[in-house]
Amino acid sequence: MNEQENVMKRVAIVGAQGKMGQQVVEALSTADDLELVACIDPAYADEPCQCLAGENCGAYTDLAEALDAAEPDVLVDFTRPDVVADNLRVALPRNIDCVVGTTGLSDETLTELAELGDENTCLFVAPNFAVGAVLLMKFAKDASKVMEKAEIIELHHDKKLDKPSGTALRTAQMMEGDPEIHSVRLPGLVAHQEVILGDVGQTLTLRHDSIDRTSFMPGVLLACREVGDRSGLIVGLEHFLDLE
């Protein structure tokens, strides 16, 4: 292993105090090859950072200040649809690779944002970081080629802001036949999706359930490791998985 391979990748997380953000902080804090160097969240104006990464990780309320001070290689964003674009407009011109789990941005906006970085900068967006959800999307894509019709049912917790979910929209985009999407928002749910396909005399149901937010963390860590070797706009965790 050469000296460059020994260098840990420096990662910052914006939205660190949210439910997903806290899971990302914990996952990054235990990764041997990734160093969490900045937690960013407006909530730190009122509450101290309870970061697990130790004294090498700073807590910030301002994104630009955090990026200039901590100099991360990668920014992970789990914030809200109404702020994620502004966050990327701060990070990408600094040529920081971005891993985004916040959905709700249009394809046109993502393309525009990706152009803010240089030719070596990557904007990676995943509607879903759970490997099982990525497999469901692949299976649904394949099944839609031979089944006559399909519909998508996505179920999430009642605090989720976007409807339909980014996972459902991505699934429909990948499938043939323009499937209809149904959205459910209820307390007690985390993230769930069914694709029901029908043909003469038969149905096929594909379902994925994330019963805990830890299901997304292997995908987040994989993305943080992979973006340094990629460039431009990449949408979907399947690009980092050998699914062919």
Side-chain angles (χ1 to χ4, degrees), residues 212-235:
D212 189 274
R213 290 178 176 83
T214 55
S215 64
F216 306 119
M217 295 306 106
V220 173
L221 298 183
L222 174 63
C224 289
R225 295 175 177 123
E226 290 286 336
V227 287
D229 297 325
R230 313 296 177 109
S231 61
L233 174 63
I234 300 176
V235 178

Side-chain angles (χ1 to χ4, degrees), residues 10-22 24-25 28 36-45 47-51 57-80 83 86-87 90-91 94 96:
R10 297 168 63 84
V11 184
I13 166 74
V14 58
Q17 285 288 76
K19 290 182 178 179
M20 277 296 294
Q22 291 178 44
V24 174
V25 167
L28 287 169
L36 181 59
V37 296
C39 290
I40 306 107
D41 200 296
Y44 293 143
E47 300 178 14
C49 175
Q50 301 296 325
C51 181
C57 180
Y60 303 85
T61 58
D62 182 79
L63 177 59
E65 177 188 354
L67 299 183
D68 292 341
E71 298 183 338
D73 303 304
V74 180
L75 176 69
V76 178
D77 187 300
F78 277 96
T79 55
R80 304 192 314 266
V83 300
D86 288 339
N87 292 340
V90 173
R94 288 170 166 80
I96 297 171

Side-chain angles (χ1 to χ4, degrees), residues 19-237:
K19 290 182 178 179
M20 277 296 294
Q22 291 178 44
Q23 289 287 343
V24 174
V25 167
E26 182 175 354
L28 287 169
S29 300
T30 58
D32 294 335
D33 56 342
L34 301 168
E35 181 182 10
L36 181 59
V37 296
C39 290
I40 306 107
D41 200 296
Y44 293 143
D46 302 312
E47 300 178 14
C49 175
Q50 301 296 325
C51 181
L52 300 174
E55 60 184 15
N56 292 331
C57 180
Y60 303 85
T61 58
D62 182 79
L63 177 59
E65 177 188 354
L67 299 183
D68 292 341
E71 298 183 338
D73 303 304
V74 180
L75 176 69
V76 178
D77 187 300
F78 277 96
T79 55
R80 304 192 314 266
D82 59 331
V83 300
V84 59
D86 288 339
N87 292 340
L88 296 175
R89 290 188 178 99
V90 173
L92 289 168
R94 288 170 166 80
N95 300 323
I96 297 171
D97 296 321
C98 294
V99 172
V100 180
T102 306
T103 56
L105 296 178
S106 67
D107 293 341
E108 293 77 14
T109 298
L110 289 174
T111 300
E112 168 205 331
L113 290 167
E115 294 174 353
L116 297 176
D118 67 14
E119 67 275 8
N120 297 315
T121 304
C122 181
L123 170 56
F124 173 73
V125 182
N128 199 307
F129 283 91
V131 172
V134 177
L135 291 172
L136 181 147
M137 288 186 273
K138 174 178 169 54
F139 299 155
K141 175 184 176 181
D142 293 342
S144 70
K145 297 175 183 178
V146 293
M147 299 289 281
E148 182 178 345
K149 190 175 180 181
E151 300 202 3
I152 299 169
I153 305 171
E154 58 95 354
L155 310 92
H156 285 80
H157 56 89
D158 56 342
K159 298 297 189 294
K160 185 171 177 62
L161 298 178
D162 54 326
K163 183 192 295 187
S165 70
T167 303
L169 290 172
R170 176 67 172 165
T171 306
Q173 184 182 51
M174 294 172 64
M175 294 174 63
E176 297 184 11
D178 193 24
E180 185 175 349
I181 302 173
H182 309 270
S183 297
V184 177
R185 297 289 178 268
L186 289 172
L189 298 172
V190 178
H192 318 263
Q193 180 166 289
E194 283 190 1
V195 178
I196 305 174
L197 302 104
D199 211 322
V200 176
Q202 61 183 314
T203 62
L204 170 65
T205 300
L206 305 171
R207 181 177 174 110
H208 176 260
D209 298 279
S210 282
I211 57 176
D212 189 274
R213 290 178 176 83
T214 55
S215 64
F216 306 119
M217 295 306 106
V220 173
L221 298 183
L222 174 63
C224 289
R225 295 175 177 123
E226 290 286 336
V227 287
D229 297 325
R230 313 296 177 109
S231 61
L233 174 63
I234 300 176
V235 178
L237 193 67

